[in-house]
């Protein structure tokens, strides 16, 4: 193991890059599969001052190897230097960064900081009960990680094995992720709100050997029976050999033959564990997310590129500075938690807040009381929480001193004007920078955000605005042609690879190619629509596929439909997303019932419970409408577009309905919907 070199600040590196006016000699062998000059790509921009956002952006697009190579070399701690910066080709879905290099992600997130400043605080665990926060230093986190890594090894977890983590946000959950990274195992964190069936599906797809969980979780004053859910799940999972159970509460839970008390095991282990040297492109983690088909996909992120991208975006988008307390309130079960609670902040040696509670526990001032007490500098949250909180009024914010805040961020779904203005004016006192950040599980880190930018550049409300370095957006029309110029909207694609992007779907590269590289050959297709304003900024317009976003949680309409179709009385179901005041979107289901169903209310209740059991509570449709038939094209495809129009549009114009097999279905559904809307007495 090479002794870690202490990383120099990325700001310094960017300065250095710029002093060479973007014309750094390329020290390493460059790209092996370059693409031609794509539209929307920043050109050489000769007028841009060195070091400016535009100069750096142009360089990252023009010479990825010269941009990313030195950054990767100097930011990360390597065991073996890489020989090739990138080797990517979107036509074949080949994505590789920093080839030949070896490193360990946990060394980058822990050891390098322990060497320099062991007692600096890595994590502040903001527990469910306010005022009971726990601080964990880098030294302590390294020790815990090593004990957990040794425990995993003792339970026969080897390099390349998969480990499922089903835990609430906690230092032990972070240590579990880093312990996997330390020994070269691949973690898959499953959000602790998913049902036993969803958990089992993920464990089976990844063929996990071990599951790490807790006896119970605590959230918003409520107890979550996580161990019970794991018990139910592992019954369906033949690959699981052991369940490591940590204790969040004093409650004793029943322990079966696979179960082991994690704390006891860790206490027996050595607090040191030699890190595995991993190849840059070895898998670091899988994270399951929804697509347009019924089965969630396990996106694969790899070691070096992901870590560099998470660290760099964390620093530059949020203006993170040493000494700041970084507060991202996302759950570690989502990509936001991976990149901006764990990997990005820890790689930068930051103090990262782990938020276990909810925005309204014990009251609507919880976030702001936490900001004041922990002196949080950056606060990163989801628009759905902001929409909820603003309804409680400004007094809950004004009660607290929020002067420690410098940057506010929003993520996960479009932020509406009211929420943006409230966050900016009331929470940020009109003095904080507010960044609406667009990205995805697939992108690994933030791709479009108002910062970085030219010094003091404007921020337009509710807009992600500017591509990050190395991100080259391209807008496509319906026919798959690149749209030029400004004031246009279409499908959001990217023409060039960046280090943080996912490499494949676990066990199914064909699906990866199909989902992201087939609709627009040679480009990565995000699934979102976008508008490029007259000023050249990017504004996300929402998903263009059958994925909906409920409270910032992504779910495929097909997933909900598949769950509903398991009900014996429901031969068919079609689900659409409809606007919702707080959640952003809610699911609306159209169902067809078998003729012999006597009481549709009972079936509806059962359907809601089925969706909660098969997926998660958040995916349960708010509304269910019984119809005789679904509107189908002559080829048998359900026209969800038509259903959306019926529910969300006041106009009579339902668009082109000529492909419908039987147009009389429209009147049928319209009548059913009118009746449904009438108040029930
Ligand atoms: O539709 C976009 C929406 O969330 C999707 C990605 O969801 P997920 O993979 O769960 O990751 C969420 C956290 C990164 C995107 O395809 N989305 C994300 N951020 C924004 C957004 N929509 C509008 N504005 C955003 N800032």
């Amino acid at each position: 193991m090479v002794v870690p070199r202490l990383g120099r600040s990325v700001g310094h590196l960017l300065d250095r890059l710029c002093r060479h006016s973007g014309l750094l000699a390329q020290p390493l062998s460059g790209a092996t599969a370059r693409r031609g000059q794509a539209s929307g790509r920043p050109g050489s921009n000769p007028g841009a001052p060195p070091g400016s956002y535009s100069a750096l952006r142009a360089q990252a697009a023009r010479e990825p190897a010269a941009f990313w190579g030195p950054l990767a070399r100097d930011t990360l701690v390597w065991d073996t230097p890489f020989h090739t910066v990138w080797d990517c080709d979107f036509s074949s879905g080949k994505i590789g960064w920093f080839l030949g290099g070896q490193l360990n992600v946990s060394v980058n997130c822990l050891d390098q900081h322990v060497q320099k400043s062991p007692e600096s605080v890595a994590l502040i665990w903001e527990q469910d009960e306010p005022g009971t926060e726990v601080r964990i230093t880098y030294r302590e986190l390294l020790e815990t990680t090593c004990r957990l890594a040794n425990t995993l090894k003792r339970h026969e977890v080897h390099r390349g094995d998969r480990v499922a983590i089903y835990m609430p946000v906690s230092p032990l959950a972070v240590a579990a992720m880093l312990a996997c990274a330390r020994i070269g195992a691949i973690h898959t964190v499953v959000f602790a709100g998913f049902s036993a069936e969803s958990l089992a599906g993920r464990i089976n797809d990844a063929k996990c050997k071990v599951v790490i969980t807790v006896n119970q979780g605590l959230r918003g004053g409520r107890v979550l029976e996580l161990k019970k859910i794991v018990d139910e799940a592992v019954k369906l999972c033949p690959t699981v050999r052991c369940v490591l159970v940590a204790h969040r509460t004093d409650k004793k839970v029943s322990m079966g033959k696979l179960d082991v008390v994690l704390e006891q095991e860790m206490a027996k282990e050595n607090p040191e564990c030699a890190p595995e040297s991993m190849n840059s492109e070895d898998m670091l983690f899988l994270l399951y997310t929804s697509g347009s088909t019924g089965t969630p996909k396990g996106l694969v992120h790899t070691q070096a590129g992901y870590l560099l991208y998470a660290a760099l975006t964390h620093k530059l988008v949020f203006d993170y500075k040493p000494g700041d307390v970084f507060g991202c309130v996302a759950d570690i079960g989502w990509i936001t938690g991976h990149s901006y609670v764990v990997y990005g902040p820890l790689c930068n040696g930051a103090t990262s807040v782990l938020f276990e509670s909810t925005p309204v526990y014990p009251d609507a001032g919880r976030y702001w009381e936490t900001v004041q007490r922990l002196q949080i500098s950056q606060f990163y949250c989801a628009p759905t929480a902001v929409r909820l909180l603003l309804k409680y009024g400004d007094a809950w914010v004004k009660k607290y001193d929020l002067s420690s805040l410098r940057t506010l961020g929003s993520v996960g779904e479009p932020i509406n004007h009211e929420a943006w203005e409230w966050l900016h004016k009331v929470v940020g006192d009109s003095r904080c920078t507010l960044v609406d950040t667009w990205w995805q599980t697939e992108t690994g880190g933030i791709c479009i955000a108002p910062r970085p930018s030219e010094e003091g550049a404007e921020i337009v409300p509710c807009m992600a605005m500017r591509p990050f370095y190395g991100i080259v957006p391209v807008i496509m029309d319906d026919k798959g042609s690149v749209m030029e110029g400004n004031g246009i909207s279409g499908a959001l694609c990217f023409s060039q690879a960046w280090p943080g992007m996912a490499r494949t779907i676990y066990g199914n590269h064909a699906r990866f190619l199909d989902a992201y590289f087939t609709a627009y050959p040679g480009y990565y297709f995000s699934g979102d629509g976008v508008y490029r304003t007259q000023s050249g900024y990017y504004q996300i317009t929402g998903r263009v596929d059958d994925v909906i976003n409920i409270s910032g949680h992504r779910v495929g309409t097909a997933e909900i439909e598949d769950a509903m179709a398991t009900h014996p009385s429901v031969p068919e179901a079609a689900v659409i997303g409809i606007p919702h005041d707080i959640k952003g979107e809610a699911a609306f289901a159209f169902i067809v019932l078998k003729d012999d169903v006597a009481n549709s209310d009972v079936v509806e209740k059962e359907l809601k419970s089925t969706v909660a059991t098969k997926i998660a509570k958040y995916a349960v449709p708010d509304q269910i409408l019984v119809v005789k038939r679904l509107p189908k094209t002559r080829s048998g495809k359900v026209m969800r577009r038509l259903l959306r129009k019926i529910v969300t549009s006041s106009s009579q114009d339902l668009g082109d309905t000529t492909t419908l097999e039987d147009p009389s279905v429209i009147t049928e559904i319209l009548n059913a919907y009118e009746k449904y809307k009438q108040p029930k007495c």
Side-chain angles (χ1 to χ4, degrees):
M1 182 77 208
V2 170
V3 177
R5 227 171 347 124
L6 298 176
R8 275 187 276 169
S9 85
V10 175
H12 167 82
L13 284 162
L14 285 171
D15 287 352
R16 192 163 65 89
L17 275 170
C18 306
R19 258 186 273 120
H20 292 267
S21 315
L23 295 170
L24 258 192
Q26 190 172 312
L28 301 151
S29 63
T32 57
R34 285 175 178 281
R35 300 181 36 75
Q37 189 85 356
S39 170
R41 183 176 198 156
S44 59
N45 207 351
S52 66
Y53 164 76
S54 1
L56 288 170
R57 203 183 137 215
Q59 196 211 0
R62 198 180 54 237
E63 301 174 277
F67 182 84
W68 292 107
L71 271 173
R73 206 177 40 212
D74 293 352
T75 306
L76 300 181
V77 176
W78 294 90
D79 298 339
T80 311
F82 50 92
H83 52 69
T84 299
V85 177
W86 68 306
D87 181 10
C88 306
D89 179 6
F90 278 177
S91 351
S92 61
K94 175 176 72 173
I95 304 155
W97 286 87
F98 313 120
L99 304 176
Q102 290 189 310
L103 81 176
N104 184 282
V105 165
S106 78
V107 167
N108 278 275
C109 290
L110 299 172
D111 306 48
Q112 66 156 332
H113 310 306
V114 171
Q115 281 202 357
K116 199 167 69 171
S117 155
E119 298 311 315
S120 69
V121 175
L123 303 173
I124 306 180
W125 184 20
E126 174 63 13
Q127 298 189 97
D128 198 38
E129 279 312 311
T132 60
E133 75 270 14
V134 179
R135 289 181 160 74
I136 289 101
T137 65
Y138 273 94
R139 181 185 53 74
E140 289 166 331
L141 186 58
L142 174 59
E143 209 179 292
T144 310
T145 299
C146 287
R147 285 182 191 277
L148 220 162
N150 288 328
T151 307
L152 288 172
K153 285 213 267 191
R154 197 167 297 278
H155 288 275
E156 310 269 304
V157 176
H158 306 298
R159 186 179 170 129
D161 285 343
R162 275 81 54 215
V163 172
I165 299 174
Y166 189 72
M167 298 171 95
V169 178
S170 62
L172 210 50
V174 176
M177 294 164 78
L178 293 169
C180 290
R182 193 145 194 103
I183 64 172
I186 300 157
H187 61 71
T188 181
V189 183
V190 180
F191 170 59
F194 276 116
S195 66
E197 234 177 273
S198 291
L199 173 61
R202 286 155 171 80
I203 293 174
N204 284 335
D205 187 74
K207 299 188 180 65
C208 296
K209 247 188 189 172
V210 167
V211 181
I212 311 179
T213 190
V214 295
N215 61 338
Q216 295 182 312
L218 288 179
R219 197 149 185 270
R222 291 213 314 265
V223 173
L224 311 169
E225 298 292 348
L226 299 188
K227 169 67 164 54
K228 274 198 189 141
I229 296 173
V230 171
D231 286 347
E232 254 182 76
V234 295
K235 277 188 218 148
L236 310 168
C237 303
T239 57
V240 173
R241 296 194 196 160
C242 163
V243 178
L244 298 171
V245 187
H247 288 76
R248 172 64 184 92
T249 66
D250 294 334
K251 175 85 188 288
K252 281 215 158 36
V253 289
S254 78
M255 299 287 280
K257 63 178 190 312
L258 296 180
D259 303 335
V260 175
V261 176
L262 180 58
E263 293 90 343
Q264 277 174 14
E265 295 288 290
M266 284 172 65
K268 293 185 223 154
E269 296 295 342
N270 194 324
E272 281 166 14
C273 172
E276 279 285 314
S277 248
M278 304 302 291
N279 299 316
S280 295
E281 283 300 326
D282 284 338
M283 291 184 203
L284 174 63
F285 65 84
L286 313 180
L287 191 57
Y288 284 83
T289 190
S290 299
S292 27
T293 66
T295 341
K297 39 197 179 186
L299 269 314
V300 171
H301 282 283
T302 55
Q303 314 265 334
Y306 167 78
L307 187 64
L308 175 67
Y309 197 75
L312 194 66
T313 47
H314 167 249
K315 194 169 166 62
L316 300 181
V317 173
F318 297 102
D319 185 33
Y320 165 76
K321 300 225 163 21
D324 285 348
V325 174
F326 188 78
C328 167
V329 289
D331 192 284
I332 51 151
W334 309 113
I335 190 70
T336 310
H338 281 60
S339 302
Y340 301 111
V341 174
V342 183
Y343 289 113
L346 294 184
C347 186
N348 287 331
T351 297
S352 181
V353 174
L354 302 175
F355 187 75
E356 188 183 36
S357 196
T358 76
V360 288
Y361 182 75
D363 56 45
R366 178 57 188 269
Y367 275 169
W368 324 122
E369 188 271 328
T370 305
V371 167
Q372 174 185 284
R373 181 163 33 82
L374 306 185
Q375 290 290 289
I376 290 174
S377 333
Q378 288 89 3
F379 187 79
Y380 194 29
C381 65
T384 182
V386 180
R387 286 192 296 267
L388 174 71
L389 292 176
L390 69 83
K391 293 207 186 302
Y392 285 83
D394 301 359
W396 288 108
V397 185
K398 304 272 191 217
K399 227 173 130 177
Y400 301 102
D401 173 8
L402 304 185
S403 56
S404 61
L405 285 174
R406 235 179 33 247
T407 309
L408 297 166
S410 100
V411 61
E413 42 165 337
I415 180 161
N416 52 314
H417 269 272
E418 193 188 9
W420 195 98
E421 291 295 340
W422 190 78
L423 201 53
H424 185 245
K425 290 203 177 111
V426 181
V427 177
D429 201 18
S430 303
R431 67 176 176 81
C432 294
T433 303
L434 170 48
V435 288
D436 170 10
T437 63
W438 179 89
W439 59 296
Q440 314 176 291
T441 306
E442 292 86 343
T443 69
I446 295 165
C447 288
I448 310 182
R451 298 283 187 261
S453 64
E454 312 299 356
E455 183 90 23
E458 67 169 337
I459 292 185
V460 181
C462 315
M463 227 187 256
M465 298 181 77
R466 302 182 175 93
F468 191 74
Y469 303 126
I471 298 296
V472 187
V474 171
I475 303 182
M476 297 287 184
D477 68 15
D478 292 349
K479 295 180 190 69
S481 310
V482 174
M483 300 173 78
E484 308 283 354
N486 292 340
I488 49 148
S489 38
L492 175 61
C493 295
F494 298 99
S495 64
Q496 194 169 290
W498 62 97
M501 69 188 300
R503 304 302 197 248
T504 188
I505 290 173
Y506 188 70
N508 199 345
H509 195 64
R511 188 173 174 197
F512 184 65
L513 294 179
D514 189 48
Y516 306 108
F517 298 100
T518 303
Y520 304 97
Y523 297 87
Y524 168 84
F525 170 47
S526 67
D528 277 280
V530 71
Y531 171 62
R532 189 156 55 216
T533 68
Q534 292 297 351
S535 314
Y537 300 139
Y538 292 88
Q539 177 161 39
I540 305 302
T541 53
R543 298 288 304 192
V544 294
D545 55 11
D546 291 320
V547 170
I548 57 178
N549 200 321
I550 305 174
S551 304
H553 303 330
R554 187 169 148 177
V555 63
T557 51
E559 248 176 286
I560 307 178
E561 289 165 7
D562 286 2
M564 291 184 134
T566 60
H567 193 290
S569 305
V570 181
E572 279 192 302
V575 173
I576 55 164
I578 55 162
H580 186 282
D581 262 7
I582 307 272
K583 298 197 261 189
E585 271 187 298
F588 188 123
F590 293 79
I591 57 165
V592 177
L593 292 179
K594 282 195 178 152
D595 291 342
D596 57 1
V597 174
N599 187 343
S600 63
D601 288 352
V602 174
V603 176
E604 283 172 30
K605 253 199 199 140
E606 286 168 355
L607 278 176
K608 288 189 174 181
S609 132
T610 307
V611 175
T613 312
K614 290 203 165 284
I615 309 175
K617 282 200 186 113
Y618 76 81
V620 172
D622 278 25
Q623 307 191 51
I624 298 179
L625 172 62
V626 180
V627 290
K628 286 206 193 85
R629 297 178 288 166
L630 295 175
K632 289 192 185 159
T633 61
R634 278 185 281 278
S635 57
K637 252 185 112 179
V638 174
M639 273 178 91
R640 291 187 186 74
R641 173 179 63 73
L642 191 72
L643 295 173
R644 258 191 303 270
K645 274 256 160 98
I646 289 176
V647 177
T648 57
S649 153
S650 49
S651 119
Q652 296 295 307
D653 177 19
L654 296 175
D656 180 12
T657 55
T658 51
T659 53
L660 271 179
E661 191 193 12
D662 177 2
S664 69
V665 71
I666 301 178
T667 324
E668 230 172 75
I669 297 176
L670 276 171
N671 289 342
Y673 183 56
E674 280 309 314
K675 217 160 124 198
Y676 173 82
K677 278 197 302 185
Q678 319 237 307
K680 287 186 183 140
C681 41

